[in-house]
Amino acid sequence: MRSTGGATQRSPHSLGRRSVLAGIGAGAAAVLAGCARGDSTAVQPGTTSLANDNATWDQGYVAAGRELKKLTGYALRPLSNPNPTSYRQVTQISLQTTKATDMIKWASGYFLKSLARTGELSDLSSIWDAYERKGWVTSPARDAMSYRGSVYGIPLYESYYVLFYNKAVFRKHGLRAPGTWEELLHNAEVLKKAGVVPFVATQTGNWPAYEWFQELVSKVDPAFYTKLISGKASYTDEQAKQALQIWQDFMRKGWMTAADFDQNNGPAALKSGRVGMFLHGSWQSQGIAATGMKPGVDFDAFVMPPVDSSTPRSVITESGVLAVPRKAVSHEAAMANAANWLNPKVQKVWTDFLQDSSANPLSRPGNPVIAGLKDRALREHWTLLPRYGESGPPNLIQGNTDDLGSFMTGASSPDATLRSMAGRATKEWAAWERDES
Amino acid sequence: MSSSVDQRRPSLPGPHTPPGTDPAGSEPVRRFPRRVRDKVAGAGFLAPAVLLVGALLLVPFATTVYRSFFDDRRVSGFAGFDNYTLFLNDPVLTRSIQNTLMWVVGTVVLPLVLGLAIAVLTDGARWSRAARMVVVLPYALSGSAVAVVWNFILNTDGAANQALKAFGLDSFARGWLLEWPGNTLVMILANTWQSAGVAVILFLVGLQTIPRETIEAASLDGAAGWRQFWYVVLPQLRTVSVIVVGTSLVNGLKSFDLIWVLTQGGPGRQSETLAVSMYQETFLALHPGAGAAVAVVLTAIVLIASWLYLRRQLTPKGD
């Protein structure tokens, strides 16, 4: 306290305070300037930045980027934001600035359409047409990538919804991958009797609640599923009721995991034989392999057979999307990379990393499980159906997924659930159409 | 302290006697009397805080109020009170209000009763330090960390059900986080586990400020045990209780992190509180107008509840 005594001593003290304040001010200004400059998206020669929401894929992007560089002269520089909700918000905002990333990872279907209608994405139609001429994309995939006739996204990968199973567990109980609905039920019964929970089903994390819905509705009637997701059929129709009754029956028989099962524990539960079959996207193959199980040797996968054997076979697919913001910092480079992403050389490296399937039908996945399924789907002309999560206005999907979560805990009956979903569908489709006009 | 102040006094430049300064320099001083100068200086010191609060709190609040009067179509238009009528006809928001009320009652009553009980029972005991540490420790953890730990316990495959089954109480095992209102109740308990610690500390401080004489006088008058606590100790803990209830009230109204990590407001949006609904509507359902309306209502409730309560309880004398 003495230092505050005399005038001579006070002056260095106040100088100290001033310099501290000045220092803080300068620091804050530097930080703000740093933020404003947006260093991370600035031009870096020979690369294109790629914003995405999954940091565990960074290595894959870098490896695929090396292949791209040979073709276009530009590598990929992944910028990850590991929280999907925050990623969505940040990306939507940054697209309006002059510092937009060169490429973004996005969801297909209505998520892409919502973003495309803001006018902030580049039209990739000519790139798509070139791909189609080379046979590197299939034309049915176009719809989920386009808005008002123009293409705004290039498929990042193409996953199938499959049921993974532990081969040793199946062998032990004398089971094989079911070819018919009856065989699937038989497998479930045998596993249940042996103390294994037959199916993974959960609403933890919200979105997994629609996995069984899309699967069962499409296996009851794939044509009805197509109509339902385009707003041309009602959730209260007979096929949807049948699907939810099957689901409820499975739950009552104790064939499904508790509704708060953590899917992250799915691979470990499959390995230890606590669960029999794990319904999930084929990208999960990477996670199961990470437990030390070898694809094709220790675990395998099958696509759920249709409920009625006369119903055509179908598989639910999911594609992430690469899009190019209109204000991309290195726009030309980003367009070049988008035009070469589906090149089989790039896809080989990428799918080997991902252990999943490419959207390019000519690119064969390195993972034997997925390669086998893809071959069969192409050979037998299975109907490829888009995933429920991207197949409607985002608000509709969000609300209906909540309803399904409620159904999974027994809080609402099949009829009440479907009525609520139907009511929301009417409202949200009308809102979407109104916004379109 | 006093010596330093004494030393300072002569050196402080007085308003009328600046020795050695030129007359021109003293001109502005005459025009601005000391009171005005003090006010200007005061305003100068306040300015950074006022600017920060204004820019980071008041402006966003005003924008939120403004946004709540517009609808959530792609081209947003004026909607009057439409977003506010959702509170009457959206079952999710009705449930959210019910849950918020449960949270408020739970987070006020439980920490108050438990905090007081633990403080009184451990005050003065030999092992009180250790006991206090154990109770206070969870308060040092973040809400999300607490939620992760409780998730291990409350999950259907979690510790609670495993323990019940181990004791043969299979019929009591259930999906703790899956059924309403049970999920809200267990989350309130989890929250109490964390927040009771701070109530204990506050009550302990309160207990230590009670003059020994009052206790001795009560003992001499023959009051002991429960009567002594009820008529002598408790009335003297009033100020502390006011603070405990006040903070618990606000914490209860804004509870978010624990719920978000444990259930994300689900299943089927059944365990949401207003704070969670605000987030859900704005960022997940992409209804920023509805989300803004929830935010405004929640802010109004917190402000009114705190104001009514503190106005009644805290007199200017502070007793």
Side-chain angles (χ1 to χ4, degrees):
Chain A
M1 292 313 280
R2 285 252 165 82
S3 65
T4 59
T8 45
Q9 280 165 302
R10 208 167 70 225
S11 111
H13 181 77
S14 64
L15 195 72
R17 189 166 53 200
R18 272 184 202 144
S19 41
V20 167
L21 282 173
I24 291 172
V31 168
L32 283 174
C35 292
R37 265 209 343 266
D39 266 352
S40 57
T41 59
V43 180
Q44 284 186 22
T47 67
T48 51
S49 55
L50 166 61
N52 68 86
D53 58 0
N54 186 347
T56 63
W57 288 2
D58 279 6
Q59 284 181 348
Y61 291 125
V62 171
R66 266 184 235 120
E67 288 301 314
L68 276 173
K69 191 161 188 175
K70 292 179 196 161
L71 300 162
T72 64
Y74 302 103
L76 289 179
R77 185 158 45 89
L79 303 171
S80 317
N81 176 345
N83 180 327
T85 311
S86 136
Y87 172 73
R88 271 213 304 264
Q89 292 157 29
V90 171
T91 307
Q92 276 168 336
I93 294 165
S94 70
L95 287 193
Q96 297 163 27
T97 69
T98 52
K99 300 284 180 193
T101 0
D102 300 328
M103 301 174 98
I104 57 166
K105 172 182 181 275
W106 207 248
S108 57
Y110 280 77
F111 282 92
L112 184 67
K113 292 181 208 291
S114 296
L115 197 61
R117 73 178 181 184
T118 62
E120 297 295 347
L121 294 183
S122 308
D123 186 341
L124 307 177
S125 302
S126 57
I127 293 178
W128 184 275
D129 294 341
Y131 276 153
E132 224 171 308
R133 279 196 295 277
K134 288 178 195 157
W136 288 358
V137 284
T138 54
S139 45
R142 185 184 167 117
D143 190 43
M145 306 285 151
S146 49
Y147 173 66
R148 290 191 170 174
S150 301
V151 176
Y152 290 94
I154 301 298
L156 191 58
Y157 53 85
E158 187 179 74
S159 290
Y160 286 0
Y161 265 82
V162 298
L163 285 139
F164 291 101
Y165 64 95
N166 183 334
K167 288 181 94 168
V169 171
F170 265 39
R171 247 195 326 270
K172 185 177 160 196
H173 299 290
L175 304 173
R176 62 189 173 92
T180 64
W181 185 252
E182 287 67 33
E183 282 176 19
L184 179 78
L185 301 187
H186 168 76
N187 284 3
E189 261 166 35
V190 170
L191 288 169
K192 178 68 189 168
K193 270 188 201 142
V196 179
V197 182
F199 300 112
V200 170
T202 184
Q203 55 82 48
T204 293
N206 195 262
W207 71 268
Y210 67 66
E211 288 186 312
W212 275 90
F213 176 75
Q214 63 181 11
E215 201 62 35
L216 290 171
V217 172
S218 65
K219 297 307 178 274
V220 166
D221 186 349
F224 170 76
Y225 177 79
T226 309
K227 281 191 207 153
L228 184 73
I229 57 173
S230 51
K232 290 179 188 118
S234 170
Y235 285 84
T236 49
D237 287 350
E238 209 41 55
Q239 293 93 325
K241 279 186 188 162
Q242 192 190 343
L244 255 67
Q245 260 142 20
I246 292 172
W247 192 353
Q248 194 176 44
D249 184 45
F250 279 18
M251 289 194 287
R252 284 195 177 145
K253 285 177 175 158
W255 285 4
M256 290 177 152
T257 53
D260 56 359
F261 182 85
D262 185 351
Q263 271 182 334
N264 294 322
N265 299 333
L270 201 69
K271 189 180 182 186
S272 66
R274 273 179 288 135
V275 299
M277 292 169 264
F278 182 8
L279 172 68
H280 212 32
S282 48
W283 70 82
Q284 183 64 65
S285 186
Q286 196 188 30
I288 299 174
T291 65
M293 293 170 85
K294 283 204 178 70
V297 179
D298 300 317
F299 74 94
D300 209 334
F302 62 91
V303 172
M304 194 183 283
V307 176
D308 191 311
S309 55
S310 62
T311 308
R313 284 199 170 249
S314 64
V315 60
I316 300 277
T317 63
E318 192 256 331
S319 290
V321 157
L322 276 182
V324 179
R326 194 169 55 87
K327 295 176 189 154
V329 178
S330 318
H331 191 266
E332 218 169 290
M335 292 296 272
N337 273 351
N340 285 280
W341 173 255
L342 285 178
N343 186 305
K345 283 180 195 152
V346 180
Q347 288 299 299
K348 171 88 182 71
V349 177
W350 171 241
T351 52
D352 279 355
F353 165 79
L354 208 58
Q355 290 290 298
D356 202 358
S357 168
S358 163
N360 181 343
L362 302 181
S363 170
R364 195 181 148 79
N367 181 335
V369 172
I370 310 301
L373 285 170
K374 194 172 174 176
D375 285 348
R376 199 174 159 204
L378 288 171
R379 198 173 56 238
E380 297 180 10
H381 303 290
W382 291 0
T383 315
L384 302 186
L385 298 167
R387 183 165 80 153
Y388 184 72
E390 288 82 38
S391 304
N395 294 346
L396 169 63
I397 302 301
Q398 181 71 38
N400 280 359
T401 306
D402 287 330
D403 281 349
L404 290 169
S406 196
F407 166 74
M408 289 180 78
T409 60
S412 70
S413 68
D415 280 353
T417 308
L418 290 171
R419 269 200 308 276
S420 167
M421 292 169 85
R424 187 175 295 104
T426 313
K427 203 176 103 203
E428 294 295 346
W429 275 115
W432 177 270
E433 296 303 334
R434 193 179 56 219
D435 285 349
E436 282 295 273
S437 53
Chain B
M1 261 317 277
S2 63
S3 68
S4 70
V5 172
D6 290 344
Q7 277 174 13
R8 263 173 75 158
R9 253 179 209 148
S11 70
L12 278 173
H16 304 297
T17 55
T21 51
D22 62 86
S26 64
E27 271 303 301
V29 177
R30 268 195 211 118
R31 268 192 272 132
F32 298 109
R34 183 172 186 144
R35 270 178 58 199
V36 178
R37 270 179 53 203
D38 282 354
K39 276 189 179 167
V40 171
F45 282 116
L46 277 177
V50 170
L51 280 177
L52 274 178
V53 170
L56 300 178
L57 210 70
L58 298 179
V59 171
F61 180 66
T63 336
T64 307
V65 173
Y66 178 77
R67 183 67 185 84
S68 72
F69 292 112
F70 289 83
D71 63 31
D72 294 317
R73 297 182 190 182
R74 191 155 71 103
V75 182
S76 190
F78 185 72
F81 284 92
D82 281 5
N83 287 324
Y84 290 92
T85 57
L86 287 175
F87 281 96
L88 301 175
N89 48 34
D90 186 346
V92 168
L93 288 185
T94 319
R95 177 51 52 85
S96 177
I97 290 178
Q98 284 176 336
N99 287 335
T100 308
L101 286 176
M102 282 161 71
W103 269 91
V104 169
V105 173
T107 49
V108 169
V109 173
L110 291 177
L112 186 74
V113 174
L114 280 175
L116 186 60
I118 293 169
V120 170
L121 293 176
T122 60
D123 186 37
R126 252 189 314 144
W127 42 272
S128 67
R129 282 175 75 96
R132 265 178 262 161
M133 271 297 285
V134 171
V135 178
V136 173
L137 209 57
Y139 190 70
L141 303 175
S142 83
S144 314
V146 168
V148 170
V149 172
W150 278 89
N151 193 40
F152 288 130
I153 299 171
L154 297 173
N155 205 286
T156 307
D157 301 326
N161 282 347
Q162 282 178 15
L164 285 171
K165 284 176 188 161
F167 288 109
L169 300 167
D170 293 37
S171 57
F172 288 99
R174 65 188 64 238
W176 297 101
L177 296 171
L178 295 176
E179 293 152 29
W180 188 86
N183 48 10
T184 298
L185 295 177
V186 292
M187 285 194 285
I188 293 172
L189 285 180
N191 181 67
T192 306
W193 175 78
Q194 184 190 21
S195 63
V198 75
V200 173
I201 294 280
L202 287 169
F203 278 121
L204 279 171
V205 172
L207 284 171
Q208 279 155 17
T209 58
I210 292 176
R212 288 288 138 205
E213 297 85 349
T214 58
I215 312 282
E216 281 163 21
S219 305
L220 286 174
D221 286 345
W226 176 250
R227 276 164 66 90
Q228 191 188 72
F229 171 74
W230 188 254
Y231 291 107
V232 180
V233 176
L234 199 57
Q236 298 191 70
L237 287 176
R238 190 184 144 147
T239 315
V240 174
S241 313
V242 168
I243 294 167
V244 170
V245 172
T247 50
S248 302
L249 190 71
V250 176
N251 283 337
L253 282 166
K254 67 183 178 64
S255 42
F256 179 87
D257 44 5
L258 196 77
I259 304 172
W260 190 251
V261 177
L262 278 176
T263 66
Q264 293 202 317
R269 301 190 67 181
Q270 290 291 301
S271 61
E272 278 180 17
T273 57
L274 283 175
V276 178
S277 300
M278 173 176 80
Y279 184 83
Q280 277 268 7
E281 290 294 335
T282 313
F283 298 117
L284 297 181
L286 309 174
H287 290 149
V294 178
V296 171
V297 169
L298 179 59
T299 312
I301 293 175
V302 173
L303 284 178
I304 292 170
S306 317
W307 180 66
L308 282 179
Y309 178 74
L310 294 177
R311 194 185 62 136
R312 273 182 64 84
Q313 298 299 326
L314 284 181
T315 59
K317 275 195 299 182
D319 57 18

